[in-house]
Amino acid sequence: MNKEIVSTPKAPGAIGPYSQAVKTGLVVFTSGQIGLDPATSELVSQDFEAQVRQSFSNLARWRGPPVGRSPTR
């Protein structure tokens, strides 16, 4: 099966030796998310709820491009 490494500048970059996401066929596997602000790469707050909300916001940045297209295109 072919795989494509994908990334988007709209979400925080990978911290470590891994990719933001890997696309195989019609499925995109994203890396784990924490509550980082994409603009600063810092935690949004020490508050757990704020971090969870930011994590989901970061994941939502992956939706939007048409099916079969990389988020950076």
Side-chain angles (χ1 to χ4, degrees):
M1 180 176 288
N2 293 334
K3 69 178 181 179
E4 176 186 357
I5 305 299
V6 293
S7 64
T8 178
K10 297 177 183 178
I15 302 173
Y18 54 88
S19 305
Q20 286 181 322
V22 176
K23 178 182 174 194
T24 58
L26 298 176
V27 180
V28 177
F29 298 92
T30 63
S31 66
Q33 291 291 320
I34 59 175
L36 294 180
D37 179 337
T40 65
S41 295
E42 300 286 332
L43 281 175
V44 292
S45 169
Q46 294 300 314
D47 178 62
F48 176 74
E49 183 177 343
Q51 291 179 27
V52 171
R53 289 184 184 280
Q54 185 63 51
S55 295
F56 279 101
S57 174
N58 292 342
L59 287 170
R61 294 167 190 273
W62 283 95
R63 69 174 191 236
V67 172
R69 296 192 59 196
S70 170
T72 58
R73 293 185 193 159

